[in-house]
Amino acid sequence: MKILIALGIGLFFFGIGGLIFTLQQSALIGCIALLVTLWTNEALPLGVVSLLPIVLFPAFGIIDTKMTALNYANPIIYLFFGGFLLAIAVEKTNLHLHVANKLLSLFPATPRGMIFSLAITSGLLSSILSNTTTTLLLITIAIFLTENTKLKMRFALAIAYGASIGGILTPIGTPPNLILLGIMQEHNMELIPFFQWMLMTVPLSVFMLISVGFLLSYGANDIPIQTQIEKKVLDKSQKKVMYLMLGLILVLLVNAPIRPYWDGLGMSESGILLGFGLALFMPPFNILKWNKDSKKIPYAIMFLFGAGFSIAKAFSQTGLADEVASYLLNMTHLSPLMLLLSVAVLITFTTEITSNTALISIMLPVIYSVAQQSGINTTLFMMVATLCASYAFMLPIATPPNAIAMSSGAVSVKDMMKYGIVLNLLGIFFIVLTAEYFWKNIL
């Protein structure tokens, strides 16, 4: 029955799209509606749905099989692969129990105290490390703080949402930020200095972190946190994993550029995480065994991101992105505030069905063109679009932290949508408000 409902929704959106777009573009809209419905109602396993674009896109003449399948080998997928190996090693050696014990000793041992501490820790780390890396490092700890399934879900979401929120704090926190700076440089626009960027984003991040803390702890603060953590000395295998993780963090920090002061090492984060993950199979670590531990890797999440990149590629190849741009141009008769709100809503909710990195790569040139032709503040509108691409909280495909929260097994799509829709609307409200009354005076 759920599959029939998904097919019906897909056909409905195909029909609606046919009134405005070409047959090829309408087919893409219908396929996206089908995929999102199947992800949401869980009629089929996550991995199965995520592989469907390889079948559907060529079948409906959207893009060919090779072009679709190439997106399942995107470098960010190997960043996930390495991160998952590290998370498996942390869990296998029970290192997460020691870290959880430290967290409980530093913050109030209440659901609200833990949610705030996890969200803040994740947010701060994401300002200097990528939000993907931060979530991978912390998610294993979050779900072992309690045996209560309701709290596990809220803790996992606190990590994921905190990472997305904190990722905007600095230009290096998340890939869309770097894409914005790259496009600004390409168009000879004045770049936003590192510390000015932080000045602009700190108030927004504080408001959002407070919102996440109260939203996720609502109705759950009376649930006692019962952990089975004992204070023990780290054993040999735990020390190996801990030293490897500390080495990883050090390399990531040194690798991160802080312009104009430091250009970084120029190494790929995907290569760094994959290298450290594979080191767990080698001497002197020898923590993981391929035949046994590789079965724990959530391949479905890796396929999920392949689907996201495939959708973004199809948007570009079918010309649907250009069509959206033309409709945006028709909206330039609106007041700047209403146009700003429209861009924020469009980016936030479109990001839910595709990778934020892929989407912002497509949409920033579009928004630049719209802003130039309408004579509005180009930097302001591009900044709003970039941050909205990170503030999508409803579906696992939207951002890497969302997908990692799903991979923990503690979060369902319905849970994510329930809290995510509220945070999406709050994010739009806070971003537009901050842009209109704060950033406008700076940019």
Side-chain angles (χ1 to χ4, degrees):
M1 185 63 184
K2 288 181 178 180
I3 295 175
L4 291 176
I5 291 171
L7 288 170
I9 291 172
L11 287 170
F12 173 77
F13 276 92
F14 170 72
I16 295 295
L19 301 175
I20 308 170
F21 302 106
T22 66
L23 181 64
Q24 186 188 38
Q25 293 165 349
S26 302
L28 174 59
I29 292 168
C31 286
I32 291 171
L34 170 66
L35 293 169
V36 170
T37 307
L38 289 173
W39 276 319
T40 306
N41 68 13
E42 300 173 347
L44 293 170
L46 184 70
V48 172
V49 180
S50 300
L51 287 170
L52 283 177
I54 299 176
V55 178
L56 295 177
F57 287 1
F60 289 100
I62 299 168
I63 52 176
D64 62 35
T65 304
K66 182 179 180 180
M67 191 177 291
T68 308
L70 279 172
N71 295 286
Y72 289 79
N74 189 287
I76 198 171
I77 292 173
Y78 293 97
L79 185 148
F80 271 85
F81 191 90
F84 286 136
L85 292 176
L86 290 164
I88 290 167
V90 169
E91 182 180 348
K92 184 176 182 178
T93 59
N94 288 324
L95 180 61
H96 57 280
L97 298 181
H98 290 269
V99 179
N101 189 46
K102 292 293 183 184
L103 270 177
L104 286 173
S105 65
L106 291 173
F107 296 93
T110 64
R112 180 164 292 163
M114 285 295 96
I115 286 168
F116 268 102
S117 67
L118 291 169
I120 291 168
T121 302
S122 181
L124 290 175
L125 282 175
S126 290
S127 68
I128 51 175
L129 305 177
S130 79
N131 55 11
T132 305
T133 303
T134 298
T135 311
L136 285 166
L137 293 175
L138 294 179
I139 198 73
T140 310
I141 298 163
I143 62 172
F144 281 91
L145 283 169
T146 178
E147 294 300 316
N148 186 290
T149 54
K150 184 186 288 187
L151 287 184
K152 280 188 178 187
M153 175 267 292
R154 294 173 191 239
F155 289 172
L157 288 178
I159 292 288
Y161 292 162
S164 291
I165 290 166
I168 67 146
L169 270 170
T170 66
I172 61 172
T174 185
N177 298 357
L178 295 170
I179 292 169
L180 168 64
L181 295 179
I183 290 175
M184 289 177 72
Q185 196 166 33
E186 182 182 326
H187 291 288
N188 296 315
M189 297 170 64
E190 185 179 349
L191 297 182
I192 303 170
F194 192 93
F195 290 105
Q196 181 182 319
W197 181 297
M198 291 186 66
L199 176 68
M200 292 168 58
T201 55
V202 164
L204 176 60
S205 298
V206 169
F207 287 138
M208 286 300 293
L209 284 172
I210 291 171
S211 300
V212 165
F214 281 108
L215 178 66
L216 290 178
S217 62
Y218 180 76
N221 204 41
D222 294 331
I223 301 174
I225 296 182
Q226 296 177 343
T227 57
Q228 300 177 352
I229 301 171
E230 299 177 9
K231 292 184 178 180
K232 291 182 179 179
V233 177
L234 291 174
D235 62 29
K236 189 176 180 180
S237 62
Q238 290 168 337
K239 286 179 179 178
K240 286 180 179 180
V241 176
M242 184 184 70
Y243 293 143
L244 187 76
M245 298 281 275
L246 291 173
L248 169 63
I249 293 170
L250 179 63
V251 172
L252 289 169
L253 286 172
V254 175
N255 187 61
I258 305 176
R259 296 186 176 93
Y261 309 104
W262 169 247
D263 291 330
L265 300 177
M267 297 171 65
S268 161
E269 275 201 356
S270 298
I272 292 171
L273 252 77
L274 182 60
F276 273 81
L278 294 176
L280 290 161
F281 294 94
M282 308 174 189
F285 300 102
N286 295 319
I287 301 294
L288 299 182
K289 305 296 179 186
W290 181 262
N291 290 338
K292 181 180 179 181
D293 296 310
S294 63
K295 296 175 183 177
K296 300 175 184 177
I297 298 170
Y299 293 102
I301 299 298
M302 296 164 68
F303 295 150
L304 174 70
F305 266 85
F309 288 120
S310 297
I311 291 171
K313 186 68 174 179
F315 256 88
S316 177
Q317 289 295 121
T318 60
L320 189 56
D322 294 332
E323 286 293 319
V324 173
S326 68
Y327 283 105
L328 276 176
L329 279 170
N330 292 332
M331 294 169 59
T332 54
H333 66 279
L334 297 173
S335 68
L337 179 59
M338 289 305 298
L339 188 56
L340 202 64
L341 181 62
S342 301
V343 167
V345 171
L346 173 69
I347 296 297
T348 299
F349 286 98
T350 306
T351 301
E352 296 292 355
I353 58 170
T354 185
S355 149
N356 63 347
T357 303
L359 177 74
I360 210 66
S361 299
I362 296 168
M363 292 305 296
L364 277 185
V366 171
I367 290 167
Y368 174 83
S369 175
V370 171
Q372 287 289 301
Q373 294 185 46
S374 61
I376 57 181
N377 188 324
T378 307
T379 305
L380 182 71
F381 273 72
M382 291 175 73
M383 184 75 173
V384 167
T386 301
L387 300 195
C388 284
S390 291
Y391 278 20
F393 304 99
M394 281 177 57
L395 290 173
I397 199 171
T399 64
N402 289 7
I404 296 165
M406 274 290 298
S407 74
S408 70
V411 181
S412 69
V413 176
K414 290 179 182 177
D415 292 328
M416 191 172 284
M417 288 190 70
K418 181 174 69 172
Y419 293 106
I421 183 65
V422 178
L423 291 172
N424 273 15
L425 296 174
L426 286 173
I428 291 168
F429 174 75
F430 285 133
I431 289 172
V432 172
L433 199 68
T434 307
E436 179 67 17
Y437 296 104
F438 178 36
W439 297 345
K440 187 184 284 187
N441 301 320
I442 298 175
L443 296 174

